[in-house]
DNA sequence: CGAGAAGTTGCGGGTTCACGCAAGACGCGG
DNA sequence: CCGCGTCTTGCGTGAACCCGCAACTTCTCG
């Protein structure tokens, strides 16, 4: 058995290395990559390897790397190991996991025990292991109770990028009015209507910007999601 | 000599502990705190301690903690140890350092050597040590070449929070028009005027939102700055 | 002291937004 | 087939926003 570790913090990397060796005595090779790009490359070179992947890396983040790896070999088992349970990450991951693939999501704050257990479950038993805390976020995100539909999320991203209503309409092939409808849905869900001036009369926020910030503060959106969205946007722009 | 380590990642904490012991044999006590709040408390209990402080902690970030610590004892020596060189952090730090205080700013990616040298320089020699990389950001931020004046930064934060022009005017005691002037300065500096539809006619961004996102992507603003600004805003709101 | 740079404020107008109202369009169980 | 909910679209209005123009106030510096 081979395990590939993709993690940019050297301390965490060596910690993982140890944890893997301890939890999986049957693992004869441990390979390390210190960013998403070299992670992808090493994954290509070592077809059979299981992967432990950090999200949030400087040059190429975990979600992107995982996506290209899974594209080439969908049965790859990947354990995501992250500091954060941002909805943006959870959504990002569950968006890219192939049908039936075994994967896991464990927080860095989890105990040694939890981590080792997860390593065995997913790499040996092919089970999916998702931290309890993450599950909560996942529920909220997928079940529509408090969460977002894809179209709402899409618009959120679009306004975050600073597109005008008209530009969004063009990009998503909608009428102007439909875009605005979706915006209102979004505003409702984000509860952006609190007053600014307390009891006085006018007292409202700039809904557009407020929505973005609220989403950021609630971690429905985060830096790396924005970064990716911006890249997509630039691509779309150059393609007429 | 006593050293207080404030850092929420246990791995980094123990790494720091070792580094401190190795670099400062004259240090007889090393204390650890795993978030900003308990860091403040321990700093109060151990008046003479020097501090190594992480920025970016969950419950109370390093800048906040440092501010209250310096407020109580301005001559405290603090070495900031951070993953990021975001302008938002650098600006945040240099905003709170008391006159004449000895402090340092070292990136986590720095070598062992650099870290130990910084530890000795600041705690023993009372020198300021700022990573080369940080210095660059600082220059850019303080010198107005490419950077922001305080008033521009202020407005950036205000629109990021989702305030309307009118609300900003009230908050900052300005006329509506002045607010809009500052906004235009900001738009200029952030270079927000690129077209959206390429050669075609309309093709502009929603400047307001675009400015915020651009700032985020350029790390002039980041999550923790937003968080703090939001808290300030709420406070201001309740005070009529 | 006077020229000039920098910042503040009012006015006016063109544009974009937020959103109520209402008329189709599509899907789905009865 | 019909009724009902969800989604899309058009029209129209009032508010907010972006910004050019121009008169004033400070400040600074020679």
């Amino acid at each position: 058995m081979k395990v590939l570790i993709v993690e940019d913090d050297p301390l965490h990397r060596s910690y993982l290395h140890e944890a893997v060796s301890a939890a999986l005595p049957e693992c004869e090779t441990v390979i390390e990559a210190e960013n998403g790009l070299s992670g992808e490359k090493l994954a290509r070179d070592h077809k059979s390897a299981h992967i432990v992947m950090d999200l949030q890396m400087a040059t190429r983040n975990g979600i992107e790397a995982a996506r290209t790896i899974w594209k080439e070999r969908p049965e790859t088992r990947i354990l995501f190991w992250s500091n954060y349970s941002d909805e943006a990450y959870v959504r990002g991951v569950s968006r890219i996991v192939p049908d039936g693939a075994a994967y896991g999501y464990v927080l860095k704050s989890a105990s040694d025990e939890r981590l080792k257990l997860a390593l065995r479950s997913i790499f040996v038993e092919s089970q999916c292991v998702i931290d309890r805390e993450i599950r909560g976020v996942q529920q909220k995100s997928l079940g529509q109770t408090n969460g977002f539909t894809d179209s709402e999320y899409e618009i959120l991203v679009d306004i975050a990028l600073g597109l005008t209503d008209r530009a969004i309409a063009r990009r998503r092939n909608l009428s102007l009015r439909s875009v605005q409808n979706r915006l209102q849905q979004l505003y409702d869900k984000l509860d952006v209507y609190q007053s600014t001036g307390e009891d006085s009369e006018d007292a409202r926020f700039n809904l557009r910007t407020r929505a973005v910030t609220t989403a950021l503060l609630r971690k429905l959106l985060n830096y790396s999601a924005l970064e990716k969205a911006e890249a997509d946007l630039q691509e779309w722009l150059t393609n007429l």
Side-chain angles (χ1 to χ4, degrees), chain A:
Chain A
M1 182 193 292
K2 276 191 272 190
V3 170
L4 167 61
I5 293 173
V6 187
E7 157 72 69
D8 61 349
D9 185 316
L11 260 48
H12 288 165
R13 203 160 59 231
S14 72
Y15 169 74
L16 269 185
H17 195 133
E18 257 180 70
V20 167
S21 308
L24 301 165
E26 62 269 60
C27 166
E28 68 268 8
T29 328
V30 178
I31 314 147
E32 298 186 359
E34 76 290 331
N35 65 55
L37 249 165
S38 67
E40 289 173 16
K41 205 149 94 70
L42 287 175
R44 246 191 298 278
D45 296 347
H46 302 268
K47 288 283 181 207
S48 64
H50 302 317
I51 301 180
V52 184
M53 173 88 72
D54 188 21
L55 303 172
Q56 186 126 128
M57 289 174 296
T59 65
R60 189 151 167 79
N61 76 36
I63 293 184
E64 304 248 75
R67 199 165 44 135
T68 80
I69 290 170
W70 265 331
K71 192 170 293 174
E72 297 173 12
R73 192 163 63 91
E75 72 279 15
T76 312
R77 307 208 190 133
I78 305 185
L79 172 60
F80 295 97
W81 194 58
S82 165
N83 257 317
Y84 307 100
S85 56
D86 293 8
E87 181 161 340
Y89 281 138
V90 176
R91 175 182 287 273
V93 168
S94 56
R95 195 190 293 288
I96 61 164
V97 40
D99 290 341
Y103 79 106
Y105 197 133
V106 173
L107 288 174
K108 289 195 178 176
S109 58
S111 65
D112 279 25
E113 257 337 287
R114 271 256 273 301
L115 173 59
K116 288 180 185 163
L117 222 123
L119 284 169
R120 288 207 70 79
S121 304
I122 169 173
F123 291 161
V124 182
E125 320 284 353
S126 320
Q127 290 190 124
C128 287
V129 178
I130 285 108
D131 247 13
R132 166 168 263 85
E133 206 175 324
I134 304 293
R135 266 245 92 82
V137 179
Q138 215 170 53
Q139 232 78 77
K140 207 177 56 179
S141 152
L142 300 181
Q144 52 272 65
T145 326
N146 188 11
F148 282 58
T149 61
D150 282 343
S151 65
E152 284 157 355
Y153 183 76
E154 205 173 59
I155 278 227
L156 170 59
V157 172
D158 284 342
I159 60 167
L161 288 173
L163 295 177
T164 64
D165 291 7
R166 177 144 51 254
I168 300 176
R170 263 211 309 277
R171 177 133 109 121
R172 305 300 182 188
N173 286 319
L174 289 172
S175 73
L176 230 189
R177 193 55 181 86
S178 293
V179 170
Q180 296 173 327
N181 272 342
R182 277 149 129 98
L183 275 177
Q184 274 170 256
Q185 274 178 261
L186 185 69
Y187 296 155
D188 279 347
K189 291 222 181 163
L190 287 175
D191 189 28
V192 143
Y193 294 94
Q194 314 144 32
S195 60
T196 294
E198 274 308 313
D199 48 1
S200 82
E201 8 56 42
D202 65 313
R204 280 241 287 314
F205 280 110
N206 174 317
L207 299 178
R208 205 161 249 259
T209 332
R210 184 64 182 169
V212 175
T213 310
T214 305
L216 283 165
L217 289 172
R218 295 210 198 149
K219 316 212 171 171
L220 306 172
L221 207 57
N222 62 16
Y223 179 83
S224 71
L226 268 185
E227 203 176 18
K228 167 144 182 35
E230 173 72 14
D232 290 350
L233 173 64
Q234 292 302 334
E235 190 186 351
W236 177 73
L237 284 180
T238 57
N239 293 353
L240 288 158

